[in-house]
Amino acid sequence: MQFAKRLQPLQSNVFADMDRAKAVALSIGRQLIDLSLGSSDLPAEAHVIEAIAQSLHDRSTHGYLLFHGTQAFRQAAADWYEQKFGISVDPETEVLPLIGSQEGTAHLPLALLDPGDFALLLDPGYPSHAGGVYLANGQIYTMPLLAKNDFLPVLADIPAAVLAQSRMMVLSYPHNPTAAIAPLAFFQEAVAFCQQHNLVLVHDFPYVDLVFEEAGVGSRKDKETNRIINPQSPVPSILQADPEKSVSIEFFTLSKSYNMGGFRIGYAIGNAQLINALRQVKAAVDFNQYGGILNGAIAALTGPQAGVTDSVAIFRKRRDAFINALHSIGWQVPTPKATMYIWAKLPAPWNQNSVEFCTQLVKQTGVAASPGAGFGKSGEGYVRFALVHEPPLLETAVGRIAEFL
Ligand SMILES: Cc1ncc(COP(=O)(O)O)c(C=O)c1O
């Protein structure tokens, strides 16, 4: 059977290799502590489940929802955004429900790229950003993220010839896997850059709520305008840097803030033409998420937010326990201010072979982590641990890592 060439870059995936290594570890009797997946182990809240349960008994939710979702969902998303960032959003033209933000970011290149056009992606970055570009027969220019630049890309380093053929740039802060956060000033620079070079600016924003106090939680005053920014969010949205929504589209998900990864619900907010273009792609592909799930999402977005604060406190405790344990075995790793990940620079002799480190670690100890190389060339030399277990198990994992090292 002959398959399309665009499938080839999707075939080699170090995470599939890791899955095999995990299976081997299990088959030889290792007790697995899986820190390799960024899937929250915390449950969705009771009022969310209740809204979905009630919808199941409502036969009006049983049919196709078609591609625009429900007005109530779009309004809840727009209100949530306005409350958090103080930017008004038209629920009719500037919001699009998605079957998870991964679906949206992976489909968008089909609306923007002609074959051979470039997308500018973060390296390391989230794999589906590249996957979507491959599916659209685009080319990828990777922007290396280095510790010395606080894991922000240096836009001036992008070659003019690449820029001339580029249609889109993808950013994502708080960042998976490095856990870096981006200041509003960097977003302003990125917006100006994309306006100047006629690029669409995509911002994938799943960790908007998973931010710890150290990042400066609370509202802040913009020095220049004296305006209160981020009424409720400690980290900026890309639209605060592009309030006219001239070039930007942002992707949210309920997977992280509301522990709803399995429910597959997210949304895009931004430039109305971009929203419309993505809607056109989706209309060819899917009939939208189930209406009951949208009702659960409305309950999450409009209901009590104490669960979000509680989740952040849980991840913060885990982070502290894991970092302290790593420090106690002599592995100096910076304390992340956001996300559910620890991005750790590997010690010698593993510093240029993260895949081998992770493969051997899981086989010998049962502790599974994600090799930095799986997120891109510049991720080599690092390993990502996802904080998806409680502190005692995280400490056990570090004990096993110490023996392995
Ligand atoms: C940067 C980034 N984007 C998207 C996703 C997936 O989000 P969703 O569950 O909404 O598809 C993740 C999940 O880990 C992520 O880290």
Side-chain angles (χ1 to χ4, degrees), residues 366-391:
V367 175
S370 294
F375 300 95
K377 224 169 43 199
S378 303
E380 184 52 290
Y382 286 84
V383 60
R384 189 198 76 176
F385 298 102
L387 300 168
V388 290
H389 291 292
E390 291 300 342

Side-chain angles (χ1 to χ4, degrees), residues 38 99-103 126 129 172 176 204 206-207 253 255-256 261 264-265 341:
I99 307 173
S101 63
Q102 170 155 334
E103 178 261 298
Y126 190 64
H129 299 165
S172 185
N176 176 13
D204 194 8
Y207 302 98
T253 174
S255 298
K256 312 293 174 184
R264 312 307 305 131
I265 179 74
Y341 307 113

Side-chain angles (χ1 to χ4, degrees), residues 116-158:
D117 286 345
F118 273 98
L120 310 172
L121 303 188
L122 300 179
D123 171 18
Y126 190 64
S128 77
H129 299 165
V133 177
Y134 291 132
L135 291 177
N137 286 351
Q139 297 196 70
I140 292 171
Y141 177 83
T142 50
M143 302 181 288
L145 303 185
L146 307 179
K148 66 174 184 183
N149 299 326
D150 297 326
F151 297 110
L152 297 173
V154 179
L155 304 183
D157 286 351
I158 304 167

Side-chain angles (χ1 to χ4, degrees), residues 132-354:
V133 177
Y134 291 132
L135 291 177
N137 286 351
Q139 297 196 70
I140 292 171
Y141 177 83
T142 50
M143 302 181 288
L145 303 185
L146 307 179
K148 66 174 184 183
N149 299 326
D150 297 326
F151 297 110
L152 297 173
V154 179
L155 304 183
D157 286 351
I158 304 167
V162 170
L163 273 177
Q165 251 187 291
S166 297
R167 299 286 167 264
M168 62 189 284
M169 173 188 287
V170 182
L171 301 177
S172 185
Y173 293 94
H175 184 241
N176 176 13
T178 67
I181 52 180
L184 183 61
F186 171 72
F187 282 173
Q188 286 164 335
E189 181 194 337
V191 168
F193 186 88
C194 289
Q195 286 169 336
Q196 185 190 346
H197 296 285
N198 203 14
L199 301 171
V200 166
L201 182 50
V202 179
H203 186 230
D204 194 8
F205 203 20
Y207 302 98
V208 46
D209 287 314
L210 260 184
V211 181
F212 308 116
E213 283 158 32
E214 293 79 356
V217 175
S219 57
R220 292 180 270 151
K221 243 189 197 166
D222 184 86
K223 279 196 203 116
E224 279 169 23
T225 62
N226 233 12
R227 252 182 2 138
I228 299 283
I229 55 171
N230 290 357
Q232 281 189 24
S233 173
V235 286
S237 150
I238 203 75
L239 295 188
Q240 287 175 290
D242 185 11
E244 308 297 318
K245 308 183 189 86
S246 63
V247 290
S248 309
I249 182 167
E250 191 152 67
F251 290 83
F252 293 91
T253 174
L254 282 89
S255 298
K256 312 293 174 184
S257 303
Y258 300 101
N259 301 316
M260 290 177 68
F263 294 85
R264 312 307 305 131
I265 179 74
Y267 52 95
I269 285 204
N271 177 285
Q273 280 176 289
L274 291 171
I275 293 286
N276 190 43
L278 181 55
R279 184 188 296 147
Q280 283 168 356
V281 171
K282 278 177 60 63
V285 177
D286 66 63
F287 276 131
N288 210 349
Q289 182 48 275
Y290 165 55
I293 302 283
L294 264 67
N295 290 340
I298 294 170
L301 294 170
T302 61
Q305 300 295 301
V308 181
T309 321
D310 292 349
S311 295
V312 174
I314 289 170
F315 280 110
R316 188 164 183 268
K317 267 203 192 117
R318 294 174 177 185
R319 175 203 68 175
D320 291 344
F322 198 74
I323 290 280
N324 288 340
L326 284 180
H327 288 180
S328 74
I329 66 164
W331 193 348
Q332 293 309 323
V333 173
T335 304
K337 292 179 178 164
T339 76
M340 56 202 285
Y341 307 113
I342 304 292
W343 185 238
K345 201 168 178 23
L346 283 164
W350 304 102
N351 41 359
Q352 277 315 305
N353 205 341
S354 58

